[in-house]
Amino acid sequence: GLMCNEKGMIIDDGVSTCINDNHFIMTTTTGGAASVYSTLEMWLQTEWSDLDVHLSSVTDQFATVAVVGPNARNLMKVLCQDVDFERNNFKFMQWRPGTVCGVQARIMRISFSGELAYEINIEANYGRYIWDEVALAGKQWNITPYGTESMHVLRAEKGFIIVGQDTDGSMTPMDVNMNWILAKNKPFSYIGRRSFSISALNSQDRFQLVGLLTKDTDVVLPEGSHIINNKGSSIGYVTSSYFSPILRRSIAMAQLKSGLSKINEIVIVKIVQEKQGLKEIPCEVSSSVFYDTEGEKVDGNE
């Protein structure tokens, strides 16, 4: 889900998990936990004080090990025997309680890479133990740790945004082409809903998130580079930029004025290259989803 402020602007994203009728766990962006907690408390105390809701920050109480990739299901079957991991019985965006290497855990089927993935949620004191056990059991599939840079490339290939990098506090869900995430028929309101009816927020002249494909596939655009029009004025900028090993080319995401109406058009990105100075790089405006556009990878292989 996305979290918006009362003006309809995206301020965070995460996953809300229903443990039971009266217990929910909400994850946030890594750096957003404290601010999201404060925002929820503010709304609870000032606007919805009649609700029987209590908030607790449990960030320090849990550790999470993400098991990601086409063999993730096979590895989870080795680690945990009291959960049915078959594709149709444990679906994407579901969770199960289970015992992982003797430790009580919550296993979430969520993914920030677009691949088949499970997140093993355990008490923090068991974090290192479970990490080591996952690494040991995964040797037969040549398991390897991956860092944030690898994760950033994977999520960019799928067009998954990072709040605060691909958004800047002035973007609505519509601006990042996520209108589908907004509930249309729920009887109750949610923060930001009224603002989405303001005509200015529905203008096609706003900055919108798109993909950029450089004509020279080896050129990786520096993040922050400006997109210019034929008059030399800035009409947007690059928010995320990487070289994709699976696609064997560079990919980028950008905020571009009226961007969604410019798909397949050629724009110019101005960059500074050492020794060569300013250089204009032609790019094709594309969808921000570059790989696995139908979302087939998230279920893995049978």
Side-chain angles (χ1 to χ4, degrees):
L2 292 177
M3 178 176 282
C4 297
N5 61 20
E6 63 272 26
K7 298 176 183 177
M9 305 304 170
I10 299 169
I11 57 174
D12 207 81
D13 67 346
V15 176
S16 297
T17 304
C18 179
I19 305 302
N20 58 48
D21 288 346
N22 297 300
H23 185 192
F24 296 80
I25 292 178
M26 178 185 289
T27 66
T28 67
T29 55
T30 304
S35 62
V36 167
Y37 180 82
S38 298
T39 299
L40 292 173
E41 274 289 7
M42 184 271 290
W43 282 93
L44 183 59
Q45 293 182 29
T46 62
E47 301 296 330
W48 297 322
S49 57
D50 57 313
L51 297 181
D52 185 14
V53 175
H54 303 274
L55 303 176
S56 298
S57 175
V58 294
T59 299
D60 295 335
Q61 275 69 56
F62 291 96
T64 298
V65 178
V67 179
V68 182
N71 286 306
R73 183 179 289 114
N74 296 328
L75 176 52
M76 291 306 301
K77 289 178 180 179
V78 172
L79 296 169
C80 178
Q81 280 79 50
D82 58 353
V83 170
D84 183 353
F85 289 97
E86 292 305 319
R87 178 174 178 169
N88 293 327
N89 297 329
F90 191 170
K91 296 182 180 180
F92 181 57
M93 296 301 286
Q94 293 183 338
W95 79 278
R96 298 284 187 272
T99 307
V100 179
C101 302
V103 177
Q104 292 299 307
R106 295 189 184 104
I107 302 167
M108 319 283 191
R109 251 210 73 183
I110 53 182
S111 175
F112 192 46
S113 67
E115 293 279 350
L116 174 66
Y118 300 87
E119 294 190 0
I120 305 171
N121 214 224
I122 62 274
E123 290 182 24
N125 289 346
Y126 292 107
R128 178 58 188 269
Y129 167 70
I130 295 297
W131 174 275
D132 290 341
E133 290 298 304
V134 170
L136 183 63
K139 281 186 176 181
Q140 61 178 303
W141 292 287
N142 296 318
I143 198 170
T144 186
Y146 70 101
T148 53
E149 184 64 20
S150 298
M151 183 178 69
H152 283 188
V153 175
L154 291 167
R155 66 90 197 171
E157 290 169 348
K158 287 289 295 180
F160 295 158
I161 65 170
I162 294 180
V163 175
Q165 178 170 329
D166 300 304
T167 69
D168 61 1
S170 68
M171 301 196 80
T172 68
M174 297 84 80
D175 295 334
V176 296
N177 205 22
M178 291 180 68
N179 190 52
W180 56 269
I181 208 169
L182 301 176
K184 307 298 193 300
N185 301 315
K186 285 185 177 179
F188 53 86
S189 188
Y190 48 84
I191 299 171
R193 185 173 188 172
R194 288 185 301 174
S195 297
F196 297 143
S197 62
I198 298 173
S199 58
L201 295 191
N202 291 282
S203 169
Q204 295 305 304
D205 203 32
R206 291 177 58 81
F207 283 86
Q208 298 169 334
L209 191 72
V210 294
L212 291 179
L213 296 171
T214 55
K215 287 299 183 180
D216 183 343
T217 58
D218 291 329
V219 174
V220 178
L221 300 170
E223 293 177 354
S225 299
H226 281 266
I227 306 166
I228 59 172
N229 59 17
N230 54 15
K231 296 180 181 178
S233 300
S234 175
I235 54 172
Y237 67 95
V238 178
T239 61
S240 296
S241 182
Y242 310 96
F243 187 87
S244 166
I246 193 72
L247 298 173
R248 298 182 180 179
R249 62 155 302 126
S250 66
I251 58 173
M253 300 164 75
Q255 288 190 28
L256 176 63
K257 194 171 186 180
S258 306
L260 294 176
S261 65
K262 290 182 167 65
I263 301 296
N264 298 324
E265 292 185 15
I266 302 299
V267 295
I268 299 298
V269 176
K270 186 169 279 191
I271 69 173
V272 179
Q273 289 189 326
E274 191 175 355
K275 298 180 181 179
Q276 296 180 347
L278 285 175
K279 189 173 182 180
E280 295 183 352
I281 307 296
C283 304
E284 179 182 343
V285 181
S286 71
S287 164
S288 57
V289 182
F290 303 97
Y291 178 65
D292 185 33
T293 55
E294 300 301 317
E296 297 174 350
K297 296 287 185 181
V298 75
D299 279 328
N301 303 317
E302 286 285 42

